[in-house]
Amino acid sequence: MDAQGRGRAGDIDPADQWVFDPDTGSYELRLDHAEEPSAPGTTPTAASASAPRPTTRAQGSAKLKPGAKPKPGGGDERTVPGPRGGNGRRSAVKAAAAGRRKPKPKKTAKKKVLIWTGGTLAFVLVGGSIGAYLLYQHLNNNIDKVDVGVDNAAVTKGPVNILVIGTDKRSGKGNTGYGDDGSVGHADTTLLFHFSEDRTNATALSIPRDMITDVPDCPTKQKDGSTKTIPGSKNVRFNESLGQEDRDPGCTWRTVEAVTGLKVTHFMMADFNAVKELSSAVGGVDVCLAKDINDADSHLKLGKGHHTVEGEQALAFVRTRHSVGFGGDLSRIQLQQQFLSSMIRKMKSGDTLTNPKKLYELGDAATNSLTVDTGIGSISKLTSLGKELSKVNIKNITFATLPVLDNPADGKVKKTVILDKGKAEPLLAMMRQDVSLTEVKEKEKADQEKADAQQAALLKGARAEPGQVRVKVLNGSGRMGAAQETVAWMQNSQGMVRTSNGGNASGGKKDKTLLEFAPNQADQARKLADAMGLPADALKQSTGTAAPTAEMTLTLGADYQGTGIPVSAPKKAPEGIQKVEADDKNVCAK
């Protein structure tokens, strides 16, 4: 870019190749890039695009899709001369367009740009559909892909779980000079973004890097196309699921599934440079500190109050831990959640959505910093996924941290943590069953309460005696022996002696547990629901009448965690868990 804020010949900013036509409501490709320089600092917005200038257009259609090439000059092109007066260009454009097509209705501000979405971190996806005319192939070639042996479709109708991995890898562009140069990297910052099936809410769960867990066996693709299985490890830090022993993101993927019980759909991985480039591309990220910080390790030096950080300063902010909270990784997680929440708000703002230049820079930075699985390894796939996930209202996005406790094996000096099962299981159950951690709008709440009341009515009424409960148990949980284990528990602990094992459910693994029964078996269903802690939506009543000795059918789903553990998730998050709502602008790190 030169001093006038525009590209020189042969060095054109792709965002500056498009001008806005007020008569069609669309952006159009300008082919005379350097014939008339603009004023200093200007960008090709709707306002500047209408300034007088000669405009060369392809005959028949002035539009050009991203990635398409214009026809060569000559008889297929003509030039519309620049006007003398302020309205001359409008008249000339109308005259030229009249012979080709009828003017299209003007579009709203957010529809004046092509919709596409992609990004290095899940907050880019959450941030909403990002609009701009971009050079498709250029961005497509930016993306790095890793085959983790799972090739899920980009978009699914069910819940979506995006695993976001921030690695502390010290090699590569923009990553050197931070501590252990040459490190292969660990899963240093890990979040699991869960998007509900109906896209009304999302939860971003931070997984502490120093949590002691088991890393399962992990098949990894080699450069020659073969597959090598890396043996698992017992009782190691979670961050060793990546990099160590040549583990790839698929190993972290499998570890997260084992810890949370949630099925990962896709992964995205970024390094230090991603934070620097993305924060600069959006024009800085607003953060807040409750006290002055001068951290010698992260090199963050900021006073108390609100600040806008980008580049190296943004990276220093998300890496700081010794100067906040208790000085550990859990305190740093809170800084990162504040940063990501603010990034989401910035990306959803009108300043970003309607600025073609900023959108291009953001898209270029995002795809340059992005490593993903093959299921979303292209701009078109990222676009589809982003448009789907952008339906979630920012008010219903919550950042939470997986509950942990100090590891008693550490002795006096606490270096690691272990899972706090008492608090973690209810929280994970809420995520598995799409229960939002945020308060919903009153109308949404009323509609949901009405639907819940209708379903809950099935649980109201008489209960049968345990010995009268007849049920056939099918295993759709994905866990071997679950049906027989449940039947034994019913017979020996609950007195439901008329139960049987029906084997595996047809069609394989099921997401949710389901109890099917007839109206004249409702008392039996209620008794079984009480014993197993079944939620109302796990009950399905038919219309016909069952025979006196007919069995109900209980199909165990992936939400079934074992005998004596309620299937129903709580309606509120456990007390004391750390969480931040994405639309809260008043969070300040202490």
Side-chain angles (χ1 to χ4, degrees):
M1 301 296 289
D2 61 19
Q4 299 300 316
R6 298 179 50 79
R8 296 184 295 272
D11 187 23
I12 303 300
D13 187 332
D16 288 338
Q17 297 183 41
W18 299 88
V19 295
F20 179 71
D21 187 336
D23 297 290
T24 64
S26 300
Y27 282 88
E28 298 175 1
L29 182 66
R30 186 179 72 248
L31 303 179
D32 57 332
H33 305 297
E35 290 181 13
E36 185 176 339
S38 62
T42 59
T43 57
T45 61
S48 64
S50 61
R53 68 176 71 248
T55 304
T56 303
R57 301 210 179 118
Q59 185 79 14
S61 176
K63 293 182 178 179
L64 190 62
K65 295 181 179 179
K69 296 181 180 180
K71 294 181 180 180
D76 290 336
E77 296 181 354
R78 62 184 177 182
T79 300
V80 181
R84 293 177 182 273
N87 295 322
R89 181 181 184 276
R90 181 179 295 242
S91 300
V93 171
K94 284 185 176 180
R100 299 196 302 271
R101 62 180 183 274
K102 294 181 180 180
K104 295 181 180 179
K106 289 187 177 181
K107 301 179 182 180
T108 61
K110 288 187 179 180
K111 291 183 179 179
K112 290 176 182 175
V113 288
L114 276 180
I115 299 296
W116 77 277
T117 302
T120 306
L121 304 177
F123 61 76
V124 174
L125 291 173
V126 179
S129 295
I130 306 175
Y133 283 101
L134 298 173
L135 300 180
Y136 178 91
Q137 198 59 44
H138 167 70
L139 296 179
N140 217 45
N141 290 338
N142 281 349
I143 303 173
D144 290 328
K145 299 181 285 291
V146 173
D147 185 351
V148 296
V150 181
D151 194 17
N152 293 328
V155 177
T156 176
K157 292 183 179 179
V160 174
N161 296 304
I162 309 292
L163 177 63
V164 180
I165 306 169
T167 175
D168 61 350
K169 185 176 181 180
R170 261 66 171 184
S171 60
K173 179 185 176 183
N175 297 318
T176 57
Y178 302 101
D180 184 16
D181 279 354
S183 169
V184 295
H186 306 75
D188 200 50
T189 299
T190 305
L191 298 98
L192 182 63
F193 275 79
H194 170 76
F195 298 86
S196 66
E197 183 172 2
D198 61 7
R199 309 297 186 248
T200 61
N201 67 87
T203 300
L205 184 70
S206 294
I207 301 177
R209 68 171 193 176
D210 294 326
M211 183 181 71
I212 298 299
T213 189
D214 295 339
V215 177
D217 292 347
C218 176
T220 60
K221 292 283 186 178
Q222 305 299 299
K223 292 181 179 180
D224 61 3
S226 63
T227 299
K228 173 185 175 182
T229 297
I230 300 174
S233 299
K234 299 285 187 180
N235 296 319
V236 296
R237 279 182 167 89
F238 172 83
N239 68 351
E240 292 185 25
S241 63
L242 177 70
Q244 309 307 301
E245 311 292 337
D246 292 329
R247 293 185 175 116
D248 68 9
C251 301
T252 305
W253 177 314
R254 291 168 175 82
T255 304
V256 169
E257 288 187 336
V259 170
T260 66
L262 287 153
K263 192 75 173 176
V264 175
T265 315
H266 300 292
F267 89 85
M268 295 181 175
M269 184 170 67
D271 54 24
F272 290 154
N273 203 42
V275 177
K276 294 186 289 185
E277 291 191 359
L278 285 168
S279 60
S280 296
V282 297
V285 177
D286 299 327
V287 297
C288 181
L289 296 174
K291 63 180 181 181
D292 295 344
I293 287 183
N294 187 358
D295 192 297
D297 294 295
S298 70
H299 306 296
L300 180 68
K301 186 175 182 179
L302 285 176
K304 175 182 177 181
H306 291 268
H307 305 272
T308 300
V309 296
E310 63 176 284
E312 290 286 352
Q313 195 174 47
L315 179 60
F317 184 86
V318 299
R319 294 185 68 228
T320 295
R321 57 179 172 138
H322 296 301
S323 301
V324 292
F326 295 103
D329 184 52
L330 296 179
S331 298
R332 178 171 60 179
I333 284 175
Q334 296 180 36
L335 284 181
Q336 293 169 348
Q337 291 175 348
Q338 180 193 157
F339 181 88
L340 297 180
S341 297
S342 181
M343 175 71 88
I344 292 172
R345 295 193 298 271
K346 191 66 171 284
M347 295 188 67
K348 273 188 168 290
S349 70
D351 289 345
T352 301
L353 290 173
T354 57
N355 187 325
K357 182 177 177 62
K358 185 178 289 187
L359 287 168
Y360 173 77
E361 292 173 349
L362 178 58
D364 195 41
T367 52
N368 258 318
S369 307
L370 182 64
T371 300
V372 300
D373 61 281
T374 52
I376 49 173
S378 70
I379 289 296
S380 61
K381 292 176 180 179
L382 281 170
T383 300
S384 298
L385 180 62
K387 288 168 70 176
E388 176 70 12
L389 301 185
S390 66
K391 297 175 183 177
V392 179
N393 192 312
I394 191 173
K395 293 183 178 180
N396 293 333
I397 300 173
T398 306
F399 287 84
T401 303
L402 186 66
V404 291
L405 300 168
D406 286 336
N407 186 1
D410 284 344
K412 292 183 179 180
V413 180
K414 303 300 181 184
K415 297 180 179 179
T416 60
V417 294
I418 59 173
L419 186 67
D420 183 351
K421 294 182 179 179
K423 291 182 179 179
E425 182 49 43
L427 174 61
L428 293 171
M430 292 179 71
M431 294 176 66
R432 289 191 291 260
Q433 297 185 29
D434 284 355
V435 179
S436 176
L437 271 65
T438 56
E439 292 294 328
V440 297
K441 294 179 180 179
E442 288 303 316
K443 183 179 184 305
E444 294 174 354
K445 187 175 182 180
D447 291 343
Q448 186 61 49
E449 287 177 347
K450 182 179 179 181
D452 289 345
Q454 292 174 346
Q455 187 67 22
L458 294 175
L459 291 173
K460 295 179 180 179
R463 265 72 172 164
E465 292 297 320
Q468 297 175 340
V469 175
R470 298 175 183 268
V471 63
K472 177 175 61 178
V473 182
L474 303 178
N475 187 6
S477 69
R479 187 161 54 87
M480 187 178 296
Q484 184 56 43
E485 175 188 302
T486 304
V487 169
W489 174 77
M490 289 177 175
Q491 293 178 349
N492 300 326
S493 300
Q494 304 299 309
M496 300 178 183
V497 295
R498 295 177 176 178
T499 56
S500 65
N501 182 355
N504 292 327
S506 62
K509 190 175 180 179
K510 310 296 180 183
D511 290 331
K512 296 183 178 180
T513 298
L514 181 67
L515 176 61
E516 299 171 278
F517 60 95
N520 61 322
Q521 297 173 316
D523 58 341
Q524 299 179 48
R526 296 185 193 109
K527 185 65 177 178
L528 184 58
D530 290 345
M532 296 191 63
L534 295 178
D537 60 5
L539 274 59
K540 182 179 180 182
Q541 181 173 278
S542 64
T543 56
T545 300
T549 59
E551 293 178 307
M552 301 181 293
T553 301
L554 173 68
T555 304
L556 304 177
D559 56 353
Y560 178 66
Q561 299 300 303
T563 57
I565 302 175
V567 174
S568 179
K571 297 300 181 184
K572 290 186 178 181
E575 293 292 331
I577 70 165
Q578 187 275 320
K579 63 188 184 78
V580 174
E581 295 184 5
D583 68 332
D584 189 351
K585 301 178 181 179
N586 300 313
V587 178
C588 291
K590 298 179 181 180

